[in-house]
């Protein structure tokens, strides 16, 4: 009997001491730590906010990502099993939540329907599935499971992996065949971990980070008065004109202008010029003086009245990277407030709404209305103009925009007239669903819709900077000026990854011949600060060094500088990136040259740009060997024991730059003289960073 009791007690003790198996869904972890190609991972949705659908099968539970994607999970050896169903996602845009705004009082025009919408393909029509990819489950630097290459439309693959004893688990998706305009969408459907013990698996950062501590290199803004860039502005005769003279210094400032043309007036307290541009073509040199209690500065800005606008690359803000379709009138006005207060004196001039402002229907006579998020667009335009800045808007030559809003197809003149009444100064015209309309891929068909809108804009009474957004098709840089384009996209959309910066900015090597004052290559917007293509914005994934490199390259390329961050979340580091007048001066140089790639190695590049004063701006970039890491999923993860990347010595011979004799080097970010160099310039450059210098003949 005693033996029976003893056995029973041992059984009971063993039962109570056995650990209970538990489950945690991946979708319940901190998804902000998933490092994506574009956007933010979302619980039970794709990064675009659409349902998770793999080959027609919808998953109510899962995590949607864009490839390449990487996620690191701390297991502490308590894991038992990882399971999921994986595959490329169908890319179906979510419905726009906002309906049309009510017509203003006294407006009895009835709204009418528009053409049927496609399912969200930004390049034209129908549900779009993303490129092929491969899924990996890694444990402690070993591949535990891989899917093999999965192409769009493949049935989901089941994952069932034992993870006993594994300390760190990584989930990786590698893009195999490239990416679409919104990235390669993928999903870990019904993904979960079973484990034992009281310590649940948790997400940790698996991003390889270098240069993660922000170093503010830009000197503090001077208290004494200063006249900044741009030094030239264009207008056509007899049109409404507004321009804020870029001045900084301790306020209050007093601005005066000699030789002010008839039709223009100056607010001496703000430096805002407004009125009507001269009716006679020519160059009007504005002799400017700015004073405060500490001193004064004098300088000249040329107003060139002729046939060209955007004589230097446009500088401003665009709403798309700061919230996508969710941006509203309050967000735009907040951006205008911050830019007027902190950036206007450094040349930032445009406040541009991207997609998502349109009502669902036109009126009976075909006029555009705004949706409820933009209930007073004319008032908002007036507000922007009152701040001394210019107002931009967005549309498409097709029946729908990329976000499935109403496009301008067959309403081009009507829309241009509407925008003119609203006071629009800038138009981004995005290809999107025009692919449904085009007859073929001939150059004639690529040009056609842009000619139509060119003529429509010409019939208005406004100077409208014309931005062609068609992703470089047909080598747009060779013919963009022919349709009066002032700037034209040369790439697909950028995102806040180093890979994307490499694939957009660093590919601008063979399109420099046809750019200059009035005509600029556009590798897309800036991705510094707080960004996101939905309401879920987060600090950029670019490291501080990557952000310095990003701004430096765009300045060397004479690219438009369009800020894509939430301006009401502007931090000191981002502000320092956007207010360095010597770096901006490279971008706004009146000669209007685009930098050339001078030297390239496996992990570095040197770019150089001719400047109007005879000097050269030179950027030394430590790009890293991106392709090697992209092909090896294990190397994509920061497992925690990697050695940090060190700086690299990069050297450039003066002969390669077309220079001779001794050259004085000035660091443009710190605005300090580095010394005099003979025969070559060299410097240590941080990983994914830059050294940006101006070389000029030593006296």
């Amino acid at each position: 009997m005693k033996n029976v009791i003893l056995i029973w007690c041992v059984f009971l003790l063993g039962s109570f001491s056995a650990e209970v198996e538990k489950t945690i869904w991946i979708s319940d972890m901190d998804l902000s730590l998933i490092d994506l190609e574009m956007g933010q991972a979302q619980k039970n949705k794709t990064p675009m906010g659409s349902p998770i659908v793999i080959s027609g099968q919808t998953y109510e539970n899962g995590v949607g990502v864009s490839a390449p994607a990487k996620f690191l999970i701390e297991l502490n050896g308590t894991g038992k099993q990882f399971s999921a169903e994986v595959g490329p996602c169908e890319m179906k845009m979510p419905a726009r939540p906002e309906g049309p705004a009510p017509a203003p009082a006294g407006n009895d025009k009835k709204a009418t329907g528009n053409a049927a919408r496609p399912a969200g393909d930004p390049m034209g029509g129908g549900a779009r599935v993303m490129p092929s990819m491969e899924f990996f489950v890694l444990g402690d630097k070993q591949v535990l499971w891989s899917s093999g290459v999965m192409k769009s439309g493949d049935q989901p693959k089941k994952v069932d992996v034992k993870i006993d004893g594994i300390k760190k688990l990584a989930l990786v998706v590698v893009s195999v065949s490239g990416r679409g305009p919104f990235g390669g969408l993928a999903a870990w459907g019904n993904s979960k971990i079973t484990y034992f013990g009281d310590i649940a698996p948790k997400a940790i950062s698996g991003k390889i980070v270098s240069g993660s501590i922000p170093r503010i290199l830009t000197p503090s803004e001077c208290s004494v008065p200063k006249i900044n860039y741009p030094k030239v502005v264009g207008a056509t005769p007899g049109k409404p004109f507004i321009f804020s003279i870029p001045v900084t210094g301790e306020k209050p400032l007093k601005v005066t202008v000699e030789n002010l043309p008839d039709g223009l007036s100056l607010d001496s307290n703000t430096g805002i010029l407004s009125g009507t541009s001269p009716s006679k073509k020519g160059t009007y040199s504005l002799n400017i003086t700015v004073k405060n209690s500490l001193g004064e500065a004098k300088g000249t800005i040329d107003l060139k009245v002729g046939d060209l606008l955007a004589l230097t690359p446009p500088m401003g803000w665009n709403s798309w990277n700061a919230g996508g379709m969710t941006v509203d009138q309050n967000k735009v006005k907040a951006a205008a407030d911050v830019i007027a207060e902190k950036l206007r004196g450094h040349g930032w001039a445009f406040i541009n709404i991207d997609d998502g402002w349109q009502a669902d229907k036109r009126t009976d006579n075909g006029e555009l209305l705004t949706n409820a998020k933009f209930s007073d667009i004319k008032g908002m335009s007036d507000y922007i103009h009152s701040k001394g800045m210019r107002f931009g808007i967005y549309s498409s030559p097709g029946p729908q925009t990329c976000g499935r809003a109403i496009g301008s197809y067959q309403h081009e003149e009507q829309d241009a007239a509407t925008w003119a009444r609203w006071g629009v100064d800038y138009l981004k015209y995005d290809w999107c669903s025009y692919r449904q309309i085009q007859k073929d891929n001939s150059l004639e068909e690529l040009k056609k819709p842009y000619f139509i809108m060119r003529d429509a804009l010409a019939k208005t009474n406004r100077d409208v900077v014309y931005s062609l957004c068609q992703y470089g098709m047909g080598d747009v840089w060779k013919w963009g000026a022919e349709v009066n384009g002032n700037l034209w996209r040369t790439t697909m959309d950028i995102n806040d990854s180093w890979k994307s910066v490499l694939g957009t900015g660093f590919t601008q090597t063979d399109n420099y011949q046809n750019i200059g004052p009035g005509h600029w290559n556009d590798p897309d917007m800036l991705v510094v600060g707080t960004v996101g293509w939905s309401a879920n914005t987060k600090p950029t994934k670019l490291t501080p060094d990557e952000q310095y490199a990003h701004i430096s390259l765009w300045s060397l390329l004479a690219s438009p500088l369009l800020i894509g961050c939430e301006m009401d979340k502007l931090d000191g580091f981002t502000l320092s990136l956007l207010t360095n007048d010597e770096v901006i001066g490279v971008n706004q140089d009146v000669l209007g040259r685009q930098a050339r790639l001078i030297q390239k190695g496996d992990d570095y590049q040197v770019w150089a740009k001719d400047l109007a004063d005879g000097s050269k701006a030179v950027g030394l970039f430590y790009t890293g060997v991106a392709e090697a890491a992209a092909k090896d999923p294990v190397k994509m993860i920061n497992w925690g024991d990697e050695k940090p990347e060190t700086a690299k010595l990069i050297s450039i011979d003066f002969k390669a730059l077309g220079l001779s004799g001794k050259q004085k080097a000035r660091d443009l970010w710190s605005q300090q003289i580095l010394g005099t160099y003979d025969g070559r310039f060299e410097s240590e450059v941080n990983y994914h960073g830059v050294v940006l210098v101006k070389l000029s003949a030593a006296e």
Side-chain angles (χ1 to χ4, degrees), residues 443-462:
L443 194 57
E444 180 182 8
E445 284 295 294
L446 292 176
K447 293 179 182 180
K448 182 178 178 180
Y450 292 101
F451 273 123
I452 294 172
M453 183 52 76
R454 176 203 67 177
D455 294 341
L457 294 173
K459 292 179 180 179
T460 70
N461 68 332
R462 297 198 63 85

Side-chain angles (χ1 to χ4, degrees), residues 143-165:
V143 176
L144 305 179
W145 180 89
S146 63
S147 65
V149 176
M150 297 188 71
K151 63 182 183 297
S152 300
D154 282 353
Q155 292 294 315
K157 291 192 176 181
K158 291 187 177 182
V159 188
D160 198 9
V161 179
K162 292 185 180 297
I163 52 176
D164 300 85

Side-chain angles (χ1 to χ4, degrees), residues 592-669:
R593 295 286 177 84
Q594 178 173 308
R596 302 277 299 276
L597 176 60
I598 303 300
Q599 189 170 299
K600 181 179 180 181
D602 290 340
D603 60 357
Y604 79 94
Q605 296 185 25
V606 178
W607 292 71
K609 173 179 179 174
D610 294 328
L611 300 177
D613 64 2
S615 63
K616 286 185 184 286
V618 181
L620 282 62
F621 297 88
Y622 182 8
T623 56
V625 185
E627 289 304 313
K631 294 177 181 178
D632 187 341
V634 174
K635 291 181 179 179
M636 292 173 64
I637 297 293
N638 177 14
W639 296 93
D641 55 0
E642 290 80 7
K643 293 181 179 179
E645 295 284 351
T646 58
K648 179 183 180 68
L649 182 66
I650 300 177
S651 177
I652 185 67
D653 193 288
F654 287 166
K655 289 182 181 179
L657 296 170
L659 298 174
S660 60
K662 295 182 178 180
Q663 298 289 319
K664 181 175 63 177
R666 181 173 178 83
D667 185 291
L668 296 181
W669 280 108

Side-chain angles (χ1 to χ4, degrees), residues 505-563:
F506 285 94
T507 58
Q508 306 300 297
T509 55
D510 300 318
N511 56 8
Y512 57 85
Q513 298 93 336
N514 300 307
I515 74 107
H519 309 296
W520 311 102
N521 288 321
D522 177 12
D524 207 6
M525 294 167 281
L526 302 176
V527 281
V528 298
T530 301
V531 297
W533 291 263
S534 68
N536 184 27
T537 59
K538 297 288 179 67
T540 180
K541 296 171 188 172
L542 296 181
T543 68
D545 278 322
E546 290 169 351
Q547 293 178 67
Y548 276 119
H550 178 28
I551 299 288
S552 297
L553 184 60
W554 263 240
S555 295
L556 286 164
L557 292 173
S559 300
L561 298 180
L562 294 172
I563 306 164

Side-chain angles (χ1 to χ4, degrees), residues 29-30 32-35 70-75 167-169 201-207 638-640:
M29 292 185 172
D30 184 356
S32 69
L33 294 175
I34 299 183
D35 186 20
K70 45 195 175 184
F71 192 28
L72 188 61
I73 300 168
E74 183 75 67
L75 294 177
K167 294 180 179 179
K168 291 181 179 179
L169 181 76
K202 68 175 183 178
I204 58 177
S205 177
K207 182 179 181 181
N638 177 14
W639 296 93

